[in-house]
Every structure is written in structure tokens, then in C-alpha cells.
Coordinates of all heavy atoms in Angstrom, one line a residue:
M770 N 327.9 0.3 94.7 CA 328.7 -0.8 94.3 C 328.0 -2.1 94.6 O 328.0 -3.0 93.8 CB 330.1 -0.8 95.1 CG 331.0 -1.9 94.7 SD 332.5 -1.9 95.7 CE 331.9 -2.4 97.3
M771 N 327.4 -2.2 95.8 CA 326.8 -3.5 96.1 C 325.6 -3.7 95.2 O 325.3 -4.9 94.8 CB 326.3 -3.5 97.6 CG 327.4 -3.3 98.6 SD 328.8 -4.5 98.4 CE 328.0 -6.0 98.8
K772 N 324.9 -2.7 94.8 CA 323.8 -2.8 93.9 C 324.3 -3.4 92.5 O 323.7 -4.3 92.0 CB 323.1 -1.5 93.7 CG 321.8 -1.6 92.9 CD 321.1 -0.2 92.9 CE 319.6 -0.4 92.4 NZ 318.9 0.8 92.6
Y773 N 325.4 -2.8 92.0 CA 326.0 -3.3 90.8 C 326.4 -4.7 90.9 O 326.1 -5.5 90.0 CB 327.2 -2.4 90.4 CG 327.9 -2.9 89.1 CD1 327.3 -2.7 87.9 CD2 329.1 -3.5 89.2 CE1 327.9 -3.1 86.7 CE2 329.7 -3.9 88.1 CZ 329.1 -3.7 86.8 OH 329.8 -4.2 85.7
L774 N 327.0 -5.1 92.0 CA 327.6 -6.4 92.1 C 326.5 -7.5 92.4 O 326.6 -8.6 91.8 CB 328.6 -6.5 93.3 CG 329.9 -5.8 93.2 CD1 330.7 -5.9 94.5 CD2 330.7 -6.4 92.0
Y775 N 325.5 -7.2 93.2 CA 324.6 -8.2 93.7 C 323.1 -8.0 93.6 O 322.4 -8.9 94.0 CB 324.9 -8.4 95.2 CG 326.3 -8.9 95.5 CD1 327.2 -8.1 96.2 CD2 326.8 -10.1 95.0 CE1 328.5 -8.6 96.5 CE2 328.1 -10.6 95.3 CZ 328.9 -9.8 96.0 OH 330.2 -10.2 96.2
F776 N 322.7 -6.9 93.0 CA 321.3 -6.7 93.0 C 320.5 -7.8 92.3 O 319.4 -8.2 92.8 CB 320.9 -5.3 92.3 CG 319.5 -4.9 92.5 CD1 319.0 -4.5 93.7 CD2 318.6 -5.0 91.4 CE1 317.7 -4.1 93.8 CE2 317.3 -4.6 91.5 CZ 316.8 -4.2 92.7
H777 N 321.0 -8.4 91.3 CA 320.3 -9.4 90.6 C 320.1 -10.6 91.5 O 319.0 -11.3 91.5 CB 321.0 -9.8 89.3 CG 322.4 -10.3 89.4 ND1 323.4 -9.5 89.9 CD2 322.9 -11.5 89.2 CE1 324.5 -10.3 90.0 NE2 324.2 -11.5 89.5
R778 N 321.1 -11.0 92.3 CA 321.0 -12.1 93.2 C 320.2 -11.7 94.4 O 319.4 -12.6 94.9 CB 322.4 -12.5 93.6 CG 323.2 -13.1 92.4 CD 324.6 -13.5 92.9 NE 324.5 -14.6 93.8 CZ 325.5 -15.3 94.2 NH1 326.7 -15.1 93.7 NH2 325.4 -16.3 95.1
D779 N 320.3 -10.5 94.9 CA 319.5 -10.1 96.1 C 318.1 -10.1 95.7 O 317.2 -10.5 96.5 CB 320.0 -8.7 96.5 CG 321.4 -8.7 97.1 OD1 321.9 -9.7 97.5 OD2 322.0 -7.6 97.1
S780 N 317.7 -9.7 94.5 CA 316.3 -9.7 94.1 C 315.7 -11.1 94.1 O 314.6 -11.2 94.5 CB 316.2 -9.1 92.6 OG 316.7 -7.7 92.6
E781 N 316.5 -12.0 93.7 CA 316.0 -13.4 93.7 C 315.8 -13.9 95.1 O 314.8 -14.6 95.4 CB 317.0 -14.4 92.9 CG 316.9 -14.2 91.4 CD 317.9 -15.1 90.7 OE1 318.4 -16.1 91.4 OE2 318.3 -14.8 89.6
R782 N 316.7 -13.5 96.0 CA 316.6 -14.0 97.4 C 315.4 -13.3 98.1 O 314.8 -13.9 98.9 CB 317.9 -13.7 98.1 CG 318.0 -14.2 99.5 CD 319.2 -13.8 100.3 NE 320.4 -13.9 99.4 CZ 321.0 -12.9 98.8 NH1 320.6 -11.7 98.9 NH2 322.1 -13.1 98.0
G783 N 315.2 -12.0 97.8 CA 314.2 -11.2 98.5 C 314.5 -10.6 99.8 O 315.6 -10.8 100.3
V784 N 313.6 -9.8 100.3 CA 313.9 -9.0 101.5 C 314.1 -9.9 102.7 O 315.0 -9.7 103.5 CB 312.7 -8.0 101.7 CG1 312.8 -7.3 103.1 CG2 312.7 -6.9 100.6
K785 N 313.2 -10.9 102.9 CA 313.2 -11.7 104.1 C 314.5 -12.5 104.1 O 315.2 -12.5 105.2 CB 312.0 -12.7 104.1 CG 311.9 -13.5 105.3 CD 310.6 -14.4 105.3 CE 310.4 -15.2 106.6 NZ 311.4 -16.2 106.8
G786 N 314.9 -13.1 103.0 CA 316.1 -13.9 103.0 C 317.4 -13.0 103.2 O 318.3 -13.4 103.9
T787 N 317.3 -11.8 102.6 CA 318.5 -10.9 102.8 C 318.6 -10.4 104.2 O 319.7 -10.3 104.7 CB 318.3 -9.8 101.7 OG1 318.3 -10.3 100.4 CG2 319.5 -8.8 101.8
F788 N 317.4 -10.1 104.8 CA 317.5 -9.7 106.2 C 318.0 -10.8 107.1 O 318.8 -10.5 108.0 CB 316.0 -9.3 106.7 CG 316.0 -8.9 108.1 CD1 316.5 -7.7 108.5 CD2 315.5 -9.7 109.1 CE1 316.5 -7.3 109.8 CE2 315.5 -9.4 110.4 CZ 316.0 -8.1 110.8
E789 N 317.7 -12.1 106.8 CA 318.2 -13.2 107.6 C 319.8 -13.3 107.5 O 320.5 -13.5 108.4 CB 317.6 -14.5 107.2 CG 316.1 -14.6 107.7 CD 315.3 -15.7 107.1 OE1 315.9 -16.5 106.2 OE2 314.2 -15.8 107.4
W790 N 320.3 -13.0 106.2 CA 321.7 -13.0 106.1 C 322.3 -11.9 106.9 O 323.4 -12.0 107.5 CB 322.1 -12.8 104.6 CG 322.2 -14.1 103.8 CD1 321.3 -14.7 103.0 CD2 323.3 -15.0 103.8 NE1 321.7 -15.8 102.5 CE2 323.0 -16.1 103.0 CE3 324.6 -15.0 104.5 CZ2 323.9 -17.1 102.8 CZ3 325.5 -16.0 104.2 CH2 325.1 -17.1 103.4
L791 N 321.7 -10.7 106.9 CA 322.2 -9.6 107.6 C 322.3 -9.9 109.1 O 323.3 -9.7 109.8 CB 321.3 -8.3 107.4 CG 321.6 -7.1 108.3 CD1 323.0 -6.6 108.1 CD2 320.6 -6.0 108.1
T792 N 321.2 -10.5 109.7 CA 321.3 -10.9 111.1 C 322.3 -11.9 111.4 O 323.0 -11.9 112.4 CB 319.9 -11.3 111.6 OG1 319.5 -12.5 110.9 CG2 318.8 -10.2 111.5
D793 N 322.5 -12.9 110.5 CA 323.6 -13.8 110.7 C 325.0 -13.1 110.7 O 325.8 -13.5 111.5 CB 323.6 -14.9 109.5 CG 322.5 -15.9 109.6 OD1 321.8 -15.9 110.6 OD2 322.3 -16.6 108.6
E794 N 325.1 -12.2 109.8 CA 326.4 -11.4 109.8 C 326.6 -10.6 111.0 O 327.8 -10.5 111.5 CB 326.5 -10.6 108.5 CG 326.6 -11.4 107.2 CD 327.9 -12.3 107.2 OE1 328.8 -12.1 107.9 OE2 327.9 -13.3 106.4
V795 N 325.5 -10.0 111.6 CA 325.6 -9.3 112.8 C 326.1 -10.2 114.0 O 326.9 -9.8 114.8 CB 324.3 -8.5 113.1 CG1 324.4 -7.9 114.6 CG2 324.1 -7.4 112.1
E796 N 325.5 -11.4 114.0 CA 325.9 -12.4 115.0 C 327.4 -12.7 114.8 O 328.1 -12.8 115.8 CB 325.1 -13.7 114.9 CG 323.7 -13.6 115.5 CD 323.0 -14.9 115.4 OE1 323.6 -15.9 115.7 OE2 321.7 -14.8 115.2
E797 N 327.9 -12.9 113.6 CA 329.3 -13.2 113.4 C 330.2 -12.0 113.8 O 331.3 -12.3 114.4 CB 329.5 -13.5 111.9 CG 329.0 -14.9 111.5 CD 329.2 -15.2 110.0 OE1 330.0 -14.6 109.4 OE2 328.5 -16.1 109.5
L798 N 329.7 -10.8 113.6 CA 330.4 -9.6 114.1 C 330.5 -9.7 115.6 O 331.6 -9.5 116.2 CB 329.8 -8.3 113.7 CG 330.4 -7.1 114.2 CD1 331.8 -6.9 113.8 CD2 329.6 -5.8 113.7
G799 N 329.4 -10.0 116.3 CA 329.4 -10.2 117.7 C 330.4 -11.2 118.2 O 331.1 -11.0 119.2
E800 N 330.5 -12.3 117.5 CA 331.5 -13.3 117.8 C 332.9 -12.8 117.6 O 333.8 -13.1 118.5 CB 331.3 -14.6 117.0 CG 330.0 -15.3 117.4 CD 329.6 -16.4 116.3 OE1 330.4 -16.7 115.4 OE2 328.4 -16.8 116.4
A801 N 333.2 -12.1 116.5 CA 334.5 -11.5 116.3 C 334.9 -10.5 117.4 O 336.1 -10.5 117.7 CB 334.5 -10.9 114.9
L802 N 333.9 -9.8 117.9 CA 334.2 -8.8 119.0 C 334.7 -9.5 120.3 O 335.3 -8.9 121.1 CB 333.0 -8.0 119.2 CG 332.6 -7.0 118.1 CD1 331.3 -6.3 118.4 CD2 333.7 -6.0 117.9
Q803 N 334.4 -10.8 120.4 CA 334.8 -11.5 121.6 C 336.3 -11.9 121.5 O 336.9 -12.1 122.5 CB 334.0 -12.9 121.7 CG 332.5 -12.7 121.8 CD 332.1 -11.9 123.0 OE1 332.5 -12.2 124.1 NE2 331.2 -11.0 122.8
G804 N 336.8 -11.9 120.3 CA 338.2 -12.2 120.1 C 339.1 -11.0 120.0 O 338.7 -9.9 120.3
E805 N 340.4 -11.3 119.6 CA 341.3 -10.1 119.5 C 341.9 -10.1 118.1 O 342.9 -9.4 117.9 CB 342.4 -10.3 120.5 CG 341.9 -10.2 121.9 CD 343.0 -10.3 123.0 OE1 344.2 -10.3 122.6 OE2 342.6 -10.3 124.2
D806 N 341.2 -10.7 117.1 CA 341.7 -10.7 115.7 C 341.1 -9.5 115.0 O 340.0 -9.6 114.5 CB 341.3 -12.0 115.0 CG 341.9 -12.2 113.6 OD1 342.3 -11.1 113.0 OD2 342.0 -13.3 113.1
K807 N 341.8 -8.4 114.9 CA 341.3 -7.2 114.3 C 341.0 -7.3 112.9 O 340.0 -6.8 112.4 CB 342.3 -6.0 114.5 CG 341.7 -4.7 114.2 CD 342.5 -3.5 114.5 CE 341.8 -2.2 114.1 NZ 342.7 -1.1 114.5
E808 N 341.8 -8.1 112.2 CA 341.6 -8.3 110.7 C 340.2 -9.1 110.5 O 339.5 -8.7 109.6 CB 342.7 -9.1 110.1 CG 342.7 -9.1 108.6 CD 343.9 -9.8 108.0 OE1 345.0 -9.7 108.6 OE2 343.7 -10.5 107.0
A809 N 340.0 -10.1 111.3 CA 338.8 -10.9 111.2 C 337.6 -10.0 111.6 O 336.5 -10.0 110.9 CB 338.8 -12.1 112.2
T810 N 337.7 -9.1 112.6 CA 336.7 -8.2 113.0 C 336.4 -7.2 111.9 O 335.2 -6.9 111.6 CB 337.1 -7.5 114.3 OG1 337.3 -8.4 115.3 CG2 335.9 -6.5 114.8
E811 N 337.4 -6.7 111.2 CA 337.3 -5.8 110.1 C 336.5 -6.4 109.0 O 335.6 -5.8 108.4 CB 338.7 -5.4 109.6 CG 338.7 -4.2 108.8 CD 340.1 -3.8 108.5 OE1 340.8 -3.3 109.4 OE2 340.6 -4.0 107.3
K812 N 336.7 -7.7 108.7 CA 336.0 -8.4 107.7 C 334.5 -8.6 108.0 O 333.7 -8.5 107.2 CB 336.7 -9.8 107.4 CG 338.0 -9.6 106.6 CD 338.6 -11.0 106.4 CE 340.0 -10.7 105.7 NZ 340.7 -12.0 105.5
E813 N 334.2 -8.8 109.3 CA 332.9 -8.9 109.7 C 332.1 -7.6 109.6 O 330.9 -7.6 109.2 CB 332.8 -9.5 111.1 CG 333.2 -10.9 111.3 CD 332.5 -11.9 110.3 OE1 331.4 -11.7 109.9 OE2 333.2 -12.9 110.0
F814 N 332.8 -6.5 109.9 CA 332.2 -5.2 109.7 C 331.8 -5.0 108.2 O 330.8 -4.5 107.9 CB 333.2 -4.1 110.1 CG 333.0 -3.7 111.5 CD1 333.9 -4.1 112.5 CD2 332.0 -2.8 111.9 CE1 333.8 -3.7 113.8 CE2 331.8 -2.4 113.3 CZ 332.7 -2.9 114.2
A815 N 332.8 -5.4 107.3 CA 332.5 -5.3 105.9 C 331.3 -6.1 105.5 O 330.5 -5.7 104.7 CB 333.8 -5.7 105.1
D816 N 331.2 -7.3 106.0 CA 330.0 -8.2 105.7 C 328.7 -7.6 106.2 O 327.7 -7.6 105.4 CB 330.2 -9.6 106.3 CG 331.3 -10.4 105.6 OD1 331.6 -10.1 104.5 OD2 331.7 -11.4 106.2
V817 N 328.7 -7.0 107.3 CA 327.5 -6.4 107.9 C 327.1 -5.2 107.0 O 325.9 -5.1 106.6 CB 327.7 -5.9 109.3 CG1 326.5 -5.0 109.8 CG2 327.8 -7.1 110.3
I818 N 328.0 -4.4 106.6 CA 327.6 -3.2 105.8 C 327.2 -3.7 104.4 O 326.3 -3.1 103.8 CB 328.7 -2.1 105.8 CG1 328.0 -0.8 105.4 CG2 329.9 -2.4 104.9 CD1 328.8 0.4 105.7
A819 N 327.9 -4.7 103.9 CA 327.5 -5.3 102.6 C 326.1 -5.8 102.6 O 325.3 -5.5 101.7 CB 328.4 -6.4 102.2
W820 N 325.7 -6.6 103.6 CA 324.3 -7.1 103.6 C 323.3 -6.0 104.0 O 322.2 -6.0 103.5 CB 324.2 -8.3 104.6 CG 324.9 -9.5 104.0 CD1 326.1 -10.0 104.2 CD2 324.2 -10.3 103.0 NE1 326.3 -11.1 103.4 CE2 325.2 -11.3 102.7 CE3 323.0 -10.4 102.4 CZ2 324.9 -12.3 101.8 CZ3 322.7 -11.3 101.5 CH2 323.7 -12.3 101.2
L821 N 323.7 -5.0 104.8 CA 322.8 -3.9 105.0 C 322.6 -3.1 103.7 O 321.4 -2.7 103.4 CB 323.4 -3.0 106.1 CG 322.6 -1.8 106.5 CD1 321.3 -2.2 107.2 CD2 323.4 -0.9 107.5
S822 N 323.6 -3.0 102.9 CA 323.5 -2.3 101.6 C 322.6 -3.1 100.7 O 321.7 -2.5 100.0 CB 324.8 -2.1 101.0 OG 325.7 -1.3 101.8
S823 N 322.7 -4.4 100.7 CA 321.9 -5.2 99.8 C 320.4 -5.1 100.2 O 319.5 -5.0 99.4 CB 322.3 -6.7 99.9 OG 323.5 -6.9 99.2
L824 N 320.2 -5.1 101.5 CA 318.8 -4.9 102.0 C 318.2 -3.6 101.6 O 317.1 -3.5 101.1 CB 318.7 -5.1 103.5 CG 317.4 -5.2 104.1 CD1 316.5 -6.3 103.6 CD2 317.5 -5.4 105.7
A825 N 319.0 -2.5 101.8 CA 318.5 -1.2 101.4 C 318.3 -1.1 99.9 O 317.3 -0.5 99.5 CB 319.6 -0.1 101.8
N826 N 319.1 -1.7 99.1 CA 319.0 -1.7 97.7 C 317.7 -2.4 97.3 O 317.0 -1.9 96.4 CB 320.1 -2.4 97.0 CG 321.4 -1.6 97.0 OD1 321.3 -0.3 97.1 ND2 322.5 -2.2 96.9
L827 N 317.3 -3.5 97.9 CA 316.1 -4.1 97.6 C 314.8 -3.3 97.8 O 313.8 -3.4 97.2 CB 315.9 -5.4 98.4 CG 316.8 -6.6 97.9 CD1 316.7 -7.8 98.9 CD2 316.5 -7.0 96.5
L828 N 315.0 -2.4 98.8 CA 313.8 -1.5 99.2 C 313.9 -0.2 98.6 O 313.1 0.7 98.8 CB 313.8 -1.4 100.8 CG 313.5 -2.7 101.5 CD1 313.9 -2.6 103.0 CD2 312.1 -3.2 101.3
G829 N 314.9 0.0 97.7 CA 315.0 1.3 97.0 C 315.5 2.4 97.9 O 315.2 3.6 97.6
I830 N 316.2 2.1 98.9 CA 316.7 3.1 99.9 C 318.2 3.3 99.6 O 319.0 2.4 99.6 CB 316.4 2.6 101.3 CG1 315.0 2.5 101.6 CG2 317.2 3.4 102.4 CD1 314.6 1.9 102.9
D831 N 318.5 4.6 99.5 CA 319.9 5.0 99.4 C 320.5 5.1 100.8 O 320.1 6.1 101.5 CB 319.9 6.4 98.6 CG 321.4 6.9 98.4 OD1 322.3 6.6 99.3 OD2 321.6 7.5 97.4
L832 N 321.3 4.2 101.1 CA 321.8 4.1 102.5 C 322.6 5.3 102.9 O 322.4 5.8 104.0 CB 322.7 2.8 102.6 CG 323.0 2.3 104.0 CD1 321.7 2.0 104.8 CD2 323.8 1.0 103.8
E833 N 323.4 5.8 102.0 CA 324.2 7.0 102.4 C 323.3 8.2 102.6 O 323.5 8.9 103.6 CB 325.2 7.3 101.2 CG 326.1 8.5 101.6 CD 327.1 8.7 100.5 OE1 327.0 8.2 99.3 OE2 328.0 9.5 100.7
K834 N 322.3 8.4 101.7 CA 321.4 9.5 101.8 C 320.6 9.4 103.1 O 320.4 10.4 103.8 CB 320.5 9.5 100.6 CG 319.5 10.7 100.5 CD 318.7 10.6 99.2 CE 317.4 11.4 99.4 NZ 316.5 11.1 98.3
A835 N 320.1 8.2 103.4 CA 319.3 7.9 104.6 C 320.1 8.3 105.9 O 319.6 8.9 106.8 CB 318.8 6.5 104.7
A836 N 321.4 7.8 105.9 CA 322.3 8.1 107.0 C 322.5 9.6 107.2 O 322.4 10.1 108.3 CB 323.6 7.3 106.9
L837 N 322.8 10.3 106.1 CA 323.1 11.7 106.2 C 321.9 12.5 106.5 O 321.9 13.6 107.1 CB 323.8 12.2 104.9 CG 325.2 11.7 104.8 CD1 325.8 12.1 103.4 CD2 326.1 12.3 105.9
N838 N 320.7 12.0 106.0 CA 319.5 12.7 106.4 C 319.2 12.7 107.9 O 318.8 13.7 108.5 CB 318.3 12.1 105.6 CG 318.1 12.6 104.2 OD1 318.8 13.6 103.8 ND2 317.4 11.9 103.4
K839 N 319.5 11.5 108.5 CA 319.2 11.4 109.9 C 320.4 12.0 110.7 O 320.1 12.6 111.8 CB 319.0 10.0 110.3 CG 318.7 9.8 111.8 CD 317.9 8.6 112.1 CE 317.6 8.6 113.6 NZ 317.0 7.4 114.1
Y840 N 321.6 11.8 110.2 CA 322.8 12.3 111.0 C 323.6 13.3 110.1 O 324.6 12.9 109.6 CB 323.7 11.1 111.4 CG 322.9 10.1 112.2 CD1 322.4 9.0 111.7 CD2 322.8 10.3 113.6 CE1 321.7 8.1 112.4 CE2 322.1 9.4 114.4 CZ 321.5 8.3 113.8 OH 320.9 7.4 114.6
P841 N 323.1 14.5 109.9 CA 323.7 15.5 109.0 C 324.9 16.2 109.6 O 325.0 17.4 109.8 CB 322.6 16.5 108.7 CG 321.7 16.4 110.0 CD 321.8 15.0 110.5
H842 N 325.9 15.3 110.0 CA 327.1 15.8 110.6 C 326.9 16.5 111.9 O 327.8 17.3 112.4 CB 327.9 16.8 109.6 CG 328.2 16.2 108.3 ND1 329.2 15.3 108.1 CD2 327.5 16.3 107.1 CE1 329.2 14.9 106.8 NE2 328.2 15.5 106.2
L843 N 325.8 16.2 112.5 CA 325.5 16.6 113.9 C 324.5 15.6 114.5 O 323.8 14.9 113.9 CB 325.1 18.0 114.0 CG 324.0 18.5 113.1 CD1 322.6 18.1 113.5 CD2 324.0 20.1 113.0
C844 N 324.5 15.6 115.9 CA 323.6 14.7 116.6 C 322.1 15.2 116.3 O 321.8 16.4 116.5 CB 323.9 14.8 118.1 SG 322.8 13.9 119.1
P845 N 321.3 14.2 115.9 CA 319.9 14.6 115.7 C 319.1 15.1 117.0 O 318.1 15.8 116.8 CB 319.2 13.4 115.1 CG 320.1 12.3 115.4 CD 321.5 12.8 115.6
K846 N 319.6 14.7 118.1 CA 318.9 15.1 119.4 C 319.4 16.4 119.9 O 318.6 17.3 120.1 CB 319.1 14.0 120.5 CG 318.4 12.7 120.2 CD 318.5 11.7 121.3 CE 317.8 10.4 121.0 NZ 318.1 9.4 122.0
C847 N 320.7 16.6 120.1 CA 321.1 17.8 120.7 C 321.6 18.9 119.6 O 321.9 20.0 120.0 CB 322.3 17.6 121.7 SG 323.8 16.9 120.9
K848 N 321.7 18.4 118.4 CA 322.1 19.3 117.3 C 323.5 19.8 117.4 O 323.9 20.8 116.9 CB 321.1 20.5 117.1 CG 319.7 20.1 117.1 CD 319.2 19.3 115.9 CE 317.7 19.1 115.9 NZ 317.3 18.0 115.0
K849 N 324.3 19.0 118.1 CA 325.7 19.4 118.3 C 326.7 18.4 117.7 O 326.3 17.2 117.5 CB 326.1 19.5 119.8 CG 325.3 20.5 120.6 CD 325.8 21.8 120.5 CE 325.0 22.9 121.0 NZ 324.6 23.3 122.2
A850 N 327.9 18.8 117.3 CA 328.9 17.9 116.8 C 330.2 18.3 117.5 O 330.7 19.5 117.3 CB 329.0 18.0 115.3
P851 N 330.8 17.5 118.3 CA 330.3 16.2 118.7 C 329.1 16.3 119.6 O 328.9 17.3 120.2 CB 331.5 15.5 119.5 CG 332.6 16.5 119.5 CD 332.2 17.8 118.9
C852 N 328.4 15.2 119.7 CA 327.2 15.1 120.6 C 327.5 15.5 122.0 O 328.5 15.2 122.6 CB 326.7 13.6 120.5 SG 325.4 13.3 121.7
E853 N 326.5 16.2 122.6 CA 326.7 16.7 124.0 C 325.5 16.1 124.8 O 325.2 16.6 125.9 CB 326.7 18.2 124.0 CG 328.0 18.7 123.4 CD 328.1 20.2 123.5 OE1 327.3 20.9 124.2 OE2 329.0 20.8 122.8
C854 N 324.8 15.1 124.3 CA 323.7 14.5 125.0 C 324.2 13.9 126.3 O 325.3 13.4 126.3 CB 323.0 13.5 124.2 SG 322.1 14.0 122.7
T855 N 323.4 13.9 127.3 CA 323.7 13.3 128.6 C 323.2 11.8 128.5 O 322.2 11.5 127.9 CB 323.1 13.9 129.8 OG1 321.7 14.0 129.6 CG2 323.7 15.3 130.1
F856 N 324.0 10.9 129.1 CA 323.6 9.5 129.0 C 322.4 9.3 130.0 O 322.3 9.8 131.0 CB 324.8 8.6 129.4 CG 325.7 8.4 128.3 CD1 326.9 9.1 128.3 CD2 325.4 7.5 127.3 CE1 327.8 8.9 127.2 CE2 326.3 7.3 126.2 CZ 327.5 8.0 126.2
Ligands
LIG1431 ZN1 323.5 14.5 121.1

């Protein structure tokens, strides 16, 4: 969806500029976590995943596939679900 909506604009901005937007949004999420406004926090989560998706799209990376390859419904370290790794 993000590719359909924004790929043309993301392409003009480029990887560096898009990464900077992502880091700004992560900072905003951090600020939202300091408060107690769940709706605002939810919106910041949406912004982070949107910009992460835009960055992945620019690099030709399928974010869902990448996540499932690394985390195939079990922990990549202990191979259990739920994870049983010790801290
Ligand atoms: Zn584990």
C-alpha cells in the first residue's frame, strides 16, 4: 500500500532523506511514549511503520517477507514460540 501511495515521492526524496524522516518519526514515537495519550502513540506507531515501509520500498525490500524470513513464527535464536531465551 505504501508503495502504491508514495513510491513516486519517496523515489524523488531518496534513501538518505527517507531514512532521516524515519528517524524523526522514531523520535516522535519516543516522545509519545512519555505521555499517556494512547491514540497519539498509536498514530506515531503508524508513522514509523509507514516510513519504514517507504525506506524498504526504495531498496526493493519486501518488509513482510524480510520479517517473516527472520522471524518465521518462532524465535530465531532458541527456535521456540514463545521465545524461551534467557535475558
Ligand atoms: Zn528465543
Side-chain angles (χ1 to χ4, degrees):
M770 177 184 72
M771 299 309 291
K772 191 171 190 175
Y773 176 73
L774 289 176
Y775 296 117
F776 188 73
H777 61 295
R778 296 180 62 168
D779 294 336
S780 296
E781 287 179 20
R782 185 183 319 97
V784 170
K785 187 175 182 292
T787 302
F788 179 74
E789 287 169 0
W790 270 100
L791 172 62
T792 59
D793 286 350
E794 293 299 342
V795 171
E796 281 185 39
E797 289 178 18
L798 174 60
E800 290 165 13
L802 292 172
Q803 303 297 315
E805 294 182 8
D806 186 341
K807 190 171 181 181
E808 192 177 322
T810 303
E811 196 173 289
K812 287 178 181 174
E813 293 304 333
F814 269 102
D816 286 341
V817 168
I818 202 164
W820 284 100
L821 183 65
S822 299
S823 284
L824 186 59
N826 287 335
L827 285 176
L828 296 166
I830 291 171
D831 182 327
L832 199 52
E833 183 179 12
K834 186 177 155 194
L837 288 172
N838 279 345
K839 181 155 185 187
Y840 302 97
H842 303 283
L843 46 78
C844 173
K846 288 184 183 174
C847 67
K848 311 291 183 202
K849 301 278 172 68
C852 170
E853 294 179 11
C854 293
T855 53
F856 281 103

